[in-house]
Amino acid sequence: MSQQPPHPRRQRGFSTHCIHGGETPDIVTGASSPNLVMSSTFTVDKPLPFSATGMDSDSPYIYSRWGNPTVHQLEDKLCRLEGGEACQCFASGMGAVAAVFLSLLDAGDHLVVSEVSYPGVAEFARNTLPRFGINVTSVDTSDSAAVAAAMRDETRLVWIETPANPILRLTDIQEISGIVHQHNAIVAVDSTFATPVATRPLERGADLVMHSLTKYLGGHGDAMGGAVVGPTEIINRLTKEAAIHHGGVLSPFNAWLILRGIATLPLRMRGHEEGALEMATWLESHPAVRRVLYPGLKSHPQFDLASRQMDNFSGMISFTVNQEGRIRTRMMKHLTTIHYAVSLGHHRSLIYWLDTDELTVSSYGLTGDALERYRSIAGNGVFRFSCGLEDVGDLKRDLSEAID
Ligand SMILES: Cc1ncc(COP(=O)(O)O)c(C=O)c1O
């Protein structure tokens, strides 16, 4: 865990934090770029506790599962970008999600989770948590009344993802945080699609913000990681219970790559947004396309909320088409610039088909009204397009080969 130290230049701007946050020239060599400390263990010169329970925030480095200087630099930077007190990184986004669920929920507690989300989160919540005696309700978190109705005395945590995978549904963080806090529960936001360039959930009243660093923050598709930012007291629990005892810590090498990725985050997000807006507008007028979902389009059902809550509309577009089977085959065969692959937020454009039957049955377990709500938006499925930073003309030419 890294806590945000009092810093004389804390008032620096966001882009400056992306570059300098958590970093200083090396005190021994003067190296301007961050050192990569791969050491798993550290020499000590005084007796120190061997148990994580005896560790405090100013303990020296002992063992890299407890804390590592390169990972701490990244955690410090993330604190500054999200405006949080403390941060703990994990080996992946799912590592961060599991840390929150398993460290903060006890048997008998109740979790409210968004009915649409990254499928791994939905599957973990629906399939794994009940085995530990945790009760789970999934709701449409874009509907505040539905969230209010789902709250119980035992509700400890409400999990939001905004914009949410894969239909880019938004949740009003401020409104939901208000409701949840009335019930003495906490709100955690998966802000992977938005990034701190677009939305800083803690400023809007959320208690925790989680990122898959594998996506926009790392930004180059070469390092997996996850992070949770929030109050010291909660992050401390994640460090001791999840990082140290479950053990899914971030590799210092990945932290170093992600630190480098974040240096250009504001520039990249500008590029992602610009490209995505042009691609979404082009797709909307394409005869083979039925519907385009992009928070920056006026046709998005929550465009007003997106304009209020997002300082950047990010680079994720989902769209439905008329002949999905034929188009999917053509994509896998003919795309040359865009990679037909899962994941998102990389400098390379990526596209993937997300099938409604598969998601709603295996991942979300949607039935009745919830299933109809999903189908009315996604039809048989959506192509989820993560607009990269290539020339937009090349992206249009590439997609035209598959969808014309
Ligand atoms: C919104 C969101 N949250 C969490 C995750 C999980 O992150 P990771 O793949 O780094 O474990 C993903 C992965 O795609 C995601 O898209």
Side-chain angles (χ1 to χ4, degrees):
M1 172 183 85
S2 195
Q3 270 176 279
Q4 186 174 339
H7 199 284
R9 285 164 296 186
R10 203 142 144 209
Q11 295 313 318
R12 285 165 154 178
F14 186 88
S15 294
T16 311
H17 278 320
C18 283
I19 294 167
H20 292 281
E23 299 178 20
T24 48
D26 182 63
I27 49 169
V28 177
T29 62
S32 157
S33 299
N35 285 333
L36 168 56
V37 180
M38 287 298 289
S39 189
S40 55
T41 192
F42 298 84
T43 57
V44 295
D45 56 8
K46 61 176 183 210
L48 290 167
F50 202 65
S51 160
T53 52
M55 192 183 84
D56 52 42
S57 59
D58 55 2
S59 291
Y61 292 110
I62 298 173
Y63 189 54
S64 274
R65 181 157 42 77
W66 292 31
N68 169 280
T70 310
V71 177
H72 278 177
Q73 284 185 313
L74 173 59
E75 289 170 345
D76 192 343
K77 197 186 286 290
L78 291 170
C79 282
R80 289 160 202 274
L81 300 189
E82 289 291 0
E85 268 176 19
C87 172
Q88 175 64 50
C89 282
F90 295 92
S92 67
M94 277 310 294
V97 174
V100 172
F101 287 168
L102 295 178
S103 306
L104 303 185
L105 297 171
D106 291 321
D109 284 350
H110 176 235
L111 166 73
V112 174
V113 67
S114 171
E115 70 183 13
V116 289
S117 65
Y118 173 60
V121 173
E123 290 164 23
F124 189 73
R126 289 182 55 238
N127 302 335
T128 307
L129 295 183
R131 288 204 286 112
F132 294 93
I134 296 157
N135 301 304
V136 180
T137 305
S138 46
V139 293
D140 174 1
T141 55
S142 72
D143 177 351
S144 310
V147 174
M151 298 300 291
R152 303 184 195 160
D153 290 346
E154 320 83 71
T155 309
R156 290 283 160 274
L157 177 66
V158 174
W159 185 271
I160 292 170
E161 181 176 316
T162 181
N165 240 316
I167 54 171
L168 297 158
R169 182 187 278 168
L170 270 65
T171 291
D172 188 327
I173 299 169
Q174 209 156 2
E175 200 166 282
I176 296 301
S177 299
I179 294 167
V180 173
H181 290 157
Q182 281 172 14
H183 293 263
N184 296 322
I186 64 171
V187 179
V189 180
D190 182 340
S191 196
T192 299
F193 275 30
T195 84
V197 171
T199 307
R200 288 154 307 281
L202 305 182
E203 286 175 5
R204 297 186 165 269
D207 302 282
L208 296 172
V209 55
M210 172 263 153
H211 286 284
S212 165
L213 303 173
T214 319
K215 317 298 180 198
Y216 285 106
L217 285 144
H220 296 79
D222 51 14
M224 299 201 80
V228 185
V229 182
T232 303
E233 190 209 329
I234 298 181
I235 301 298
N236 204 12
R237 281 179 67 183
L238 303 190
T239 303
K240 288 190 176 170
E241 291 189 31
I244 297 179
H245 289 149
H246 304 172
V249 291
L250 183 64
S251 152
F253 184 56
N254 283 12
W256 185 77
L257 287 169
I258 295 163
L259 274 169
R260 187 161 76 162
I262 294 176
T264 54
L265 181 69
L267 286 173
R268 286 190 286 108
M269 291 313 293
R270 238 176 278 154
H272 284 299
E273 180 189 48
E274 196 182 299
L277 192 53
E278 191 172 334
M279 288 302 289
T281 308
W282 174 75
L283 282 166
E284 217 170 26
S285 66
H286 196 288
V289 174
R290 293 174 72 170
R291 181 166 191 187
V292 181
L293 297 159
Y294 178 63
L297 285 180
K298 291 210 170 67
S299 57
H300 189 285
Q302 295 165 294
F303 178 70
D304 287 348
L305 174 59
S307 307
R308 264 186 285 127
Q309 188 165 274
M310 301 179 76
D311 296 336
N312 173 295
F313 294 120
S314 197
M316 298 305 300
I317 301 168
S318 287
F319 60 96
T320 59
V321 296
N322 290 323
Q323 292 181 295
E324 53 257 7
R326 178 182 149 269
I327 289 179
R328 176 160 51 152
T329 307
R330 287 182 63 82
M331 278 186 186
M332 289 190 269
K333 230 175 171 166
H334 297 298
L335 292 180
T336 52
T337 303
I338 303 167
H339 288 184
Y340 188 83
V342 296
S343 205
L344 58 109
H346 304 170
H347 57 329
R348 280 181 208 90
S349 288
L350 305 169
I351 199 161
Y352 207 77
W353 168 253
L354 292 159
D355 190 82
T356 294
D357 282 341
E358 190 189 328
L359 275 187
T360 55
V361 176
S362 310
S363 303
Y364 302 149
L366 299 181
T367 52
D369 287 352
L371 180 58
E372 267 178 36
R373 248 192 323 269
Y374 188 90
R375 267 200 182 281
S376 71
I377 299 166
N380 295 334
V382 296
F383 284 104
R384 191 187 68 181
F385 175 49
S386 170
C387 186
L389 299 172
E390 301 93 338
D391 291 308
V392 175
D394 291 329
L395 298 179
K396 286 183 190 168
R397 257 190 303 281
D398 214 26
L399 263 190
S400 292
E401 285 291 316
I403 63 177
D404 276 356

Coordinates of all heavy atoms in Angstrom, one line a residue, residues 201-249:
P201 N -14.2 9.2 -9.4 CA -15.3 8.8 -8.6 C -15.3 9.3 -7.2 O -16.3 9.6 -6.6 CB -15.3 7.3 -8.7 CG -14.6 7.0 -10.0 CD -13.6 8.1 -10.1
L202 N -14.1 9.4 -6.6 CA -14.0 9.8 -5.2 C -14.5 11.2 -5.0 O -15.1 11.6 -4.0 CB -12.6 9.6 -4.6 CG -11.9 8.2 -4.8 CD1 -10.5 8.2 -4.2 CD2 -12.8 7.2 -4.2
E203 N -14.2 12.1 -6.0 CA -14.7 13.5 -6.0 C -16.2 13.5 -6.0 O -16.8 14.5 -5.7 CB -14.2 14.3 -7.2 CG -12.7 14.6 -7.1 CD -12.2 15.3 -8.4 OE1 -13.0 15.6 -9.3 OE2 -11.0 15.5 -8.5
R204 N -16.8 12.4 -6.6 CA -18.3 12.4 -6.7 C -18.9 11.6 -5.6 O -20.1 11.2 -5.7 CB -18.7 11.8 -8.1 CG -18.2 12.6 -9.2 CD -18.6 12.2 -10.5 NE -18.3 13.3 -11.4 CZ -19.2 14.3 -11.7 NH1 -20.4 14.2 -11.2 NH2 -18.9 15.3 -12.5
G205 N -18.2 11.3 -4.5 CA -18.8 10.7 -3.3 C -18.5 9.2 -3.2 O -18.9 8.7 -2.1
A206 N -17.9 8.6 -4.2 CA -17.7 7.1 -4.0 C -16.6 6.9 -2.9 O -15.8 7.8 -2.7 CB -17.3 6.5 -5.3
D207 N -16.6 5.7 -2.4 CA -15.6 5.4 -1.3 C -14.3 4.8 -1.9 O -13.2 5.0 -1.4 CB -16.2 4.4 -0.3 CG -17.4 5.0 0.3 OD1 -17.3 5.9 1.2 OD2 -18.6 4.7 -0.2
L208 N -14.5 4.0 -3.0 CA -13.4 3.3 -3.6 C -13.5 3.4 -5.1 O -14.6 3.4 -5.6 CB -13.4 1.8 -3.2 CG -13.2 1.4 -1.7 CD1 -13.4 -0.1 -1.5 CD2 -11.8 1.8 -1.2
V209 N -12.3 3.5 -5.7 CA -12.3 3.4 -7.2 C -11.3 2.3 -7.6 O -10.2 2.2 -7.0 CB -11.9 4.8 -7.8 CG1 -10.7 5.4 -7.3 CG2 -11.9 4.6 -9.4
M210 N -11.7 1.5 -8.5 CA -10.9 0.4 -9.0 C -10.6 0.5 -10.4 O -11.4 1.0 -11.2 CB -11.7 -0.9 -8.7 CG -11.1 -2.2 -9.2 SD -11.9 -2.6 -10.8 CE -10.6 -3.5 -11.6
H211 N -9.4 0.1 -10.8 CA -9.0 0.1 -12.2 C -8.4 -1.2 -12.6 O -7.6 -1.8 -11.9 CB -8.0 1.2 -12.5 CG -8.5 2.6 -12.5 ND1 -9.3 3.0 -13.6 CD2 -8.4 3.5 -11.6 CE1 -9.6 4.3 -13.3 NE2 -9.1 4.6 -12.1
S212 N -8.7 -1.7 -13.8 CA -7.9 -2.6 -14.5 C -6.8 -1.8 -15.2 O -7.1 -1.1 -16.1 CB -8.6 -3.5 -15.5 OG -7.7 -4.1 -16.4
L213 N -5.6 -1.9 -14.6 CA -4.5 -1.1 -15.2 C -4.0 -1.7 -16.5 O -3.3 -1.0 -17.3 CB -3.3 -1.1 -14.2 CG -3.5 -0.6 -12.8 CD1 -2.3 -0.9 -11.9 CD2 -3.9 0.9 -12.8
T214 N -4.5 -2.9 -16.8 CA -4.2 -3.6 -18.1 C -4.7 -2.7 -19.3 O -4.3 -2.9 -20.4 CB -4.9 -4.9 -18.1 OG1 -4.8 -5.5 -16.8 CG2 -4.4 -5.9 -19.1
K215 N -5.7 -1.9 -19.0 CA -6.4 -1.2 -20.1 C -5.8 0.2 -20.4 O -4.6 0.3 -20.7 CB -7.9 -1.1 -19.8 CG -8.5 -2.3 -19.2 CD -8.4 -3.5 -20.1 CE -9.0 -4.8 -19.5 NZ -8.6 -6.0 -20.1
Y216 N -6.6 1.3 -20.2 CA -6.0 2.6 -20.6 C -4.8 3.1 -19.8 O -4.0 3.8 -20.3 CB -7.1 3.7 -20.5 CG -8.2 3.6 -21.6 CD1 -9.5 3.0 -21.3 CD2 -7.9 4.0 -22.9 CE1 -10.4 2.9 -22.3 CE2 -8.8 3.9 -23.9 CZ -10.1 3.4 -23.6 OH -11.0 3.2 -24.6
L217 N -4.8 2.7 -18.5 CA -3.7 3.3 -17.7 C -2.3 2.8 -18.2 O -1.4 3.6 -18.5 CB -4.0 3.1 -16.2 CG -5.1 4.0 -15.8 CD1 -6.0 3.4 -14.7 CD2 -4.5 5.3 -15.2
G218 N -2.2 1.5 -18.3 CA -1.0 0.9 -19.0 C -0.9 1.4 -20.4 O 0.1 1.9 -20.9
G219 N -2.0 1.1 -21.1 CA -2.3 1.7 -22.4 C -1.6 1.1 -23.6 O -1.9 1.5 -24.8
H220 N -0.7 0.1 -23.4 CA 0.0 -0.4 -24.6 C -0.1 -2.0 -24.8 O 0.6 -2.6 -25.6 CB 1.5 -0.1 -24.5 CG 1.7 1.4 -24.5 ND1 1.5 2.2 -23.4 CD2 2.1 2.2 -25.5 CE1 1.7 3.5 -23.8 NE2 2.1 3.5 -25.0
G221 N -1.0 -2.6 -24.0 CA -1.3 -4.0 -24.2 C -0.2 -4.9 -23.8 O -0.1 -6.0 -24.3
D222 N 0.7 -4.5 -22.9 CA 1.9 -5.3 -22.6 C 2.0 -5.6 -21.1 O 3.1 -6.1 -20.7 CB 3.1 -4.8 -23.2 CG 3.4 -3.3 -22.9 OD1 2.7 -2.8 -22.0 OD2 4.2 -2.7 -23.5
A223 N 1.1 -5.2 -20.3 CA 1.2 -5.4 -18.8 C -0.1 -5.5 -18.2 O -1.0 -4.6 -18.4 CB 2.0 -4.2 -18.2
M224 N -0.3 -6.5 -17.4 CA -1.6 -6.7 -16.6 C -1.4 -6.1 -15.3 O -0.3 -6.1 -14.7 CB -2.0 -8.1 -16.5 CG -2.2 -8.8 -17.8 SD -3.2 -10.3 -17.7 CE -4.8 -9.6 -17.6
G225 N -2.4 -5.5 -14.7 CA -2.4 -5.0 -13.4 C -3.7 -4.5 -12.9 O -4.7 -4.3 -13.7
G226 N -3.9 -4.2 -11.6 CA -5.1 -3.7 -11.1 C -4.8 -2.8 -9.9 O -3.7 -2.9 -9.3
A227 N -5.8 -2.0 -9.5 CA -5.5 -1.1 -8.4 C -6.8 -0.7 -7.8 O -7.9 -0.6 -8.4 CB -4.8 0.2 -8.9
V228 N -6.8 -0.4 -6.4 CA -7.9 0.1 -5.7 C -7.4 1.4 -5.0 O -6.3 1.3 -4.3 CB -8.5 -0.8 -4.7 CG1 -9.8 -0.3 -4.1 CG2 -8.8 -2.2 -5.4
V229 N -8.1 2.5 -5.1 CA -7.7 3.7 -4.4 C -8.9 4.1 -3.5 O -10.0 4.0 -3.8 CB -7.5 4.9 -5.4 CG1 -7.0 6.2 -4.7 CG2 -6.4 4.5 -6.4
G230 N -8.5 4.6 -2.3 CA -9.6 5.0 -1.3 C -9.0 5.4 0.0 O -7.8 5.6 0.1
P231 N -9.8 5.4 1.1 CA -9.3 5.8 2.4 C -8.3 4.8 3.0 O -8.4 3.6 2.8 CB -10.6 5.8 3.3 CG -11.7 5.6 2.4 CD -11.2 5.0 1.1
T232 N -7.3 5.3 3.7 CA -6.2 4.5 4.2 C -6.7 3.3 5.0 O -6.2 2.2 4.9 CB -5.3 5.4 5.2 OG1 -4.9 6.5 4.4 CG2 -4.2 4.7 5.7
E233 N -7.8 3.5 5.8 CA -8.3 2.5 6.7 C -8.7 1.3 5.9 O -8.4 0.1 6.2 CB -9.4 3.0 7.5 CG -9.9 2.1 8.6 CD -11.3 2.3 8.9 OE1 -11.9 3.4 8.7 OE2 -12.0 1.3 9.3
I234 N -9.4 1.5 4.7 CA -9.9 0.4 3.9 C -8.8 -0.2 3.1 O -8.6 -1.4 3.0 CB -11.0 0.9 3.0 CG1 -12.2 1.4 3.8 CG2 -11.5 -0.3 2.1 CD1 -13.4 1.9 2.9
I235 N -7.9 0.6 2.5 CA -6.8 0.1 1.7 C -5.9 -0.7 2.5 O -5.4 -1.7 2.1 CB -6.1 1.3 1.0 CG1 -7.1 2.1 0.1 CG2 -4.9 0.7 0.1 CD1 -7.8 1.3 -1.0
N236 N -5.7 -0.3 3.8 CA -4.8 -1.1 4.7 C -5.3 -2.5 4.8 O -4.6 -3.5 4.9 CB -4.9 -0.3 6.0 CG -3.6 -0.6 6.8 OD1 -2.7 -1.2 6.3 ND2 -3.6 -0.3 8.1
R237 N -6.7 -2.6 4.9 CA -7.2 -4.0 5.0 C -6.9 -4.8 3.7 O -6.6 -6.0 3.8 CB -8.8 -3.9 5.2 CG -9.1 -3.6 6.6 CD -10.6 -3.5 6.8 NE -11.3 -4.8 6.7 CZ -12.6 -4.9 6.7 NH1 -13.4 -3.8 7.0 NH2 -13.2 -6.0 6.5
L238 N -7.1 -4.1 2.6 CA -6.8 -4.8 1.3 C -5.3 -5.2 1.3 O -5.0 -6.3 0.8 CB -7.1 -3.9 0.1 CG -8.5 -3.4 0.0 CD1 -8.7 -2.7 -1.4 CD2 -9.6 -4.4 0.2
T239 N -4.4 -4.4 1.8 CA -3.0 -4.7 1.7 C -2.7 -5.9 2.6 O -2.1 -6.9 2.2 CB -2.2 -3.5 2.3 OG1 -2.5 -2.4 1.5 CG2 -0.7 -3.8 2.2
K240 N -3.2 -5.9 3.8 CA -2.9 -7.0 4.8 C -3.6 -8.3 4.4 O -3.0 -9.4 4.4 CB -3.2 -6.6 6.2 CG -2.2 -5.5 6.7 CD -2.3 -5.2 8.2 CE -1.2 -4.3 8.5 NZ -1.4 -3.7 9.9
E241 N -4.9 -8.2 4.1 CA -5.6 -9.4 3.8 C -5.4 -9.9 2.4 O -5.1 -11.1 2.2 CB -7.1 -9.2 4.0 CG -7.4 -9.0 5.5 CD -8.9 -9.0 5.8 OE1 -9.7 -9.7 5.1 OE2 -9.3 -8.3 6.8
A242 N -5.6 -9.0 1.4 CA -5.6 -9.5 0.0 C -4.2 -9.5 -0.6 O -3.7 -10.6 -1.0 CB -6.5 -8.6 -0.8
A243 N -3.5 -8.4 -0.5 CA -2.1 -8.4 -1.2 C -1.2 -9.4 -0.4 O -0.7 -10.3 -1.0 CB -1.6 -7.0 -1.2
I244 N -1.1 -9.2 0.9 CA -0.1 -10.0 1.6 C -0.5 -11.5 1.8 O 0.3 -12.4 1.5 CB 0.3 -9.3 2.9 CG1 0.9 -8.0 2.7 CG2 1.2 -10.2 3.8 CD1 1.3 -7.2 3.9
H245 N -1.8 -11.7 2.1 CA -2.1 -13.1 2.4 C -2.7 -13.8 1.1 O -2.4 -15.0 1.0 CB -3.1 -13.1 3.5 CG -2.4 -12.8 4.8 ND1 -3.0 -12.2 5.9 CD2 -1.1 -13.0 5.2 CE1 -2.2 -12.0 6.9 NE2 -1.0 -12.5 6.5
H246 N -3.5 -13.2 0.3 CA -3.9 -13.9 -0.9 C -2.7 -13.9 -1.9 O -2.6 -14.8 -2.7 CB -5.1 -13.3 -1.6 CG -6.3 -13.1 -0.6 ND1 -7.5 -12.4 -1.0 CD2 -6.5 -13.6 0.6 CE1 -8.3 -12.5 0.0 NE2 -7.8 -13.2 1.0
G247 N -1.9 -12.8 -1.9 CA -0.7 -12.9 -2.6 C -0.6 -12.5 -4.0 O 0.4 -12.5 -4.7
G248 N -1.8 -12.0 -4.6 CA -1.8 -11.6 -6.0 C -1.2 -10.2 -6.2 O -1.9 -9.3 -6.7
V249 N 0.1 -10.0 -5.9 CA 0.6 -8.6 -6.0 C 1.1 -8.3 -7.5 O 1.4 -9.2 -8.2 CB 1.8 -8.4 -5.0 CG1 1.2 -8.4 -3.6 CG2 2.8 -9.5 -5.2

